Amino acid sequence: MSQRQSGHHVKMEEVNVKMTRHVVLACGLVGMLSVGSAQAVTVSISCSALGIEYELCRSGAQAWSEKTGNDFKIVSTPNSASERLALYQQILAAGAGDIDVYQIDVVWPGTLASHFVDLSEYAGDAVNEHFEGITHNNTINGRLVAMPWFTDAGLLYYRKDLLEKYDAPVPSTWQEMAETAARIQKAERDAGNGRMWGYVFQGRSYEGLTCNALEWVASYDGGMIVEADGTVSINNPQAAAALSEVASWIGSITPAGVHNYAEEESRGVFQAGQAVFMRNWPYAWALSQDSDSPILDKVGVSALPSGPNGRPAATLGGQQLAVSRYSPHVDEAVDLVMFLTSYEEQKRRAIEGSFNPTIAALYQDDELLAANPFAADLYQVFINAVGRPSITGALYNRASTSFYNAVHDILRGRTPAERRLASLQVELNRMSRGGNW
């Protein structure tokens, strides 16, 4: 497996920048050794290590360092979004300045806003280059608390060579996907490929399961878990039907181990050539096309399938960059954020790692489209993706945890979907005090 394919969490990295050498350990919250200019400062930035995110973050920060003369330190954080948010909340609640720049999920601005600098004065007209919906999402009480870095939506990856081999079209509904997956899985196993599965996704009890499950529920017209007016809507027959259908796939077209799969585990199975279909984020494209990938040139990408009534749904994902109010180097930290979220840097990340830009003009860039041929076709998927229930505000993490734990129970067959969603409805109503989030 190549360095680009590696999804292992980075425990230590030594970064050489100009005359300074920093050793960044595990959580990155330790001191540093430096012998550089007294005028230079070191800006610490948290980065995910999902796929090749860590390397792209490091190389982007290094380019900024070479341009400005300042140094940087990468702070390693958990790949799990839920674990990362918990770590951030601990650090920020203590008013600690260990991290200057935070990589945050698209649903976190409301939860963490009070700890971040208002970037609107620094960003100026650059804000207008980004998708309005995302900058609106990042504006809390009139304060721009984060700059968009890349946007995401769930996508369906498929083995185009196997679909061609068995004369199967790209599925447009979940039912078609399941039927095609079962047919090709059986044929491949009969031909001697005993490890082939039909479909893999992110089934671990964590935020990624909220994203997957919202796609299933919304595509079945089962609502948005919590509606825009604060009403809890998850306890309905359509949502129960969607989750019951997915539960029936496990052990049939989906391995039982999916209960423990996050993004990298599902990608590992698919990239090893052991699955026909996979739900994942756009980052998986670049890795599937790595020179030593077993499925190089055998992969197609499409919008996720629709539910019974023809409605597709892809959960909005993506990451932002925010500057801590407790940073000792706010100006330099803001400068790093503006550099990393700029046109040229977003273009580089899109070409090298298939991270979708938040700057609309980049979707007309020929070099970017050559590297990500699906970007233009799926542009509408990215800008019309389904948002998670941000109306829950500071309670979002608790609400999401309750939801993905309930879905996990259903997928493991512990409780029938109808009964578990009824108890979840009660739990969320109690949490919101009857919808008053």
Side-chain angles (χ1 to χ4, degrees), residues 35 40 59 78 85 94 108 111 162 185 192-193 243 247 311 324 349 371:
V35 292
S59 55
L85 177 59
W108 295 349
T111 301
L162 294 179
Q185 174 184 299
N193 188 358
L243 297 177
R311 179 185 178 183
S324 170
R349 290 172 56 85

Side-chain angles (χ1 to χ4, degrees), residues 73-293:
K73 178 172 68 173
I74 304 291
V75 178
S76 301
T77 57
N79 276 348
S80 165
S82 305
E83 294 175 8
R84 191 184 314 156
L85 177 59
L87 174 63
Y88 285 178
Q89 288 176 311
Q90 292 173 10
I91 297 170
L92 292 167
D98 301 276
I99 300 176
D100 300 297
V101 177
Y102 284 79
Q103 176 182 338
I104 67 171
D105 193 279
V106 70
V107 293
W108 295 349
T111 301
L112 302 175
S114 63
H115 299 288
F116 293 147
V117 170
D118 182 358
L119 299 175
S120 55
E121 294 183 8
Y122 299 93
D125 293 339
V127 172
N128 299 326
E129 298 176 359
H130 299 266
F131 292 140
E132 182 179 359
I134 301 179
T135 56
H136 178 75
N137 175 83
N138 295 352
T139 302
I140 308 298
N141 296 325
R143 300 174 62 249
L144 180 65
V145 299
M147 283 295 292
W149 198 14
F150 63 89
T151 188
D152 261 345
L155 299 173
L156 181 71
Y157 289 80
Y158 59 90
R159 286 285 301 278
K160 63 182 182 180
D161 60 322
L162 294 179
L163 266 59
E164 291 172 2
K165 178 180 179 181
Y166 294 101
D167 194 25
V170 178
S172 60
T173 68
W174 288 113
Q175 181 179 355
E176 290 176 3
M177 188 283 296
E179 291 172 352
T180 301
R183 180 164 69 89
I184 295 179
Q185 174 184 299
K186 182 179 185 304
E188 285 293 295
R189 289 186 176 186
D190 288 347
N193 188 358
R195 303 182 69 182
M196 177 62 74
W197 288 97
Y199 180 58
V200 292
F201 59 89
Q202 294 77 57
R204 183 184 299 173
S205 187
Y206 80 119
E207 183 66 20
L209 182 53
T210 288
C211 296
N212 280 251
L214 177 57
E215 291 163 348
W216 303 324
V217 169
S219 71
Y220 269 65
D221 292 325
M224 306 301 297
I225 309 170
V226 179
E227 303 306 315
D229 63 359
T231 302
V232 178
S233 62
I234 190 57
N235 184 25
N236 65 78
Q238 294 85 354
L243 297 177
S244 296
E245 175 67 16
V246 176
S248 73
W249 298 341
I250 299 175
S252 174
I253 61 172
T254 298
V258 78
H259 295 129
N260 295 311
Y261 285 8
E263 286 84 358
E264 285 294 89
E265 287 77 13
S266 52
R267 183 181 69 82
V269 174
F270 184 76
Q271 191 154 332
Q274 297 169 9
V276 182
F277 297 106
M278 171 183 70
R279 184 273 181 204
N280 216 319
W281 304 103
Y283 87 97
W285 167 257
L287 295 169
S288 74
Q289 300 307 297
D290 197 66
S291 59
D292 59 356
S293 169

Side-chain angles (χ1 to χ4, degrees), residues 316-384:
L316 176 67
Q319 298 288 307
Q320 333 298 312
L321 292 178
V323 175
S324 170
R325 286 176 49 205
Y326 317 115
S327 167
H329 310 298
V330 168
D331 288 343
E332 291 82 3
V334 171
D335 192 62
L336 174 57
V337 166
M338 297 307 299
F339 179 88
L340 292 177
T341 59
S342 67
Y343 184 102
E344 288 302 325
E345 181 62 12
Q346 287 204 13
K347 176 179 175 178
R348 181 186 75 88
R349 290 172 56 85
I351 291 173
E352 295 183 13
S354 63
F355 290 96
N356 294 287
T358 61
I359 297 174
L362 277 166
Y363 288 84
Q364 305 298 321
D365 188 282
D366 291 339
E367 291 180 296
L368 186 151
L369 294 177
N372 298 279
F374 61 86
D377 292 339
L378 298 178
Y379 175 75
Q380 293 300 321
V381 174
F382 299 140
I383 65 173
N384 293 312

Side-chain angles (χ1 to χ4, degrees), residues 28-83:
L29 304 180
V30 296
M32 59 186 175
L33 303 173
S34 65
V35 292
S37 167
Q39 294 180 344
V41 302
T42 298
V43 175
S44 58
I45 177 172
S46 68
C47 293
S48 166
L50 184 65
I52 61 171
E53 276 194 80
Y54 189 96
E55 174 56 30
L56 289 177
C57 179
R58 187 203 63 78
S59 55
Q62 183 165 345
W64 170 82
S65 173
E66 293 169 353
K67 177 182 178 181
T68 64
N70 292 310
D71 300 322
F72 69 93
K73 178 172 68 173
I74 304 291
V75 178
S76 301
T77 57
N79 276 348
S80 165
S82 305
E83 294 175 8

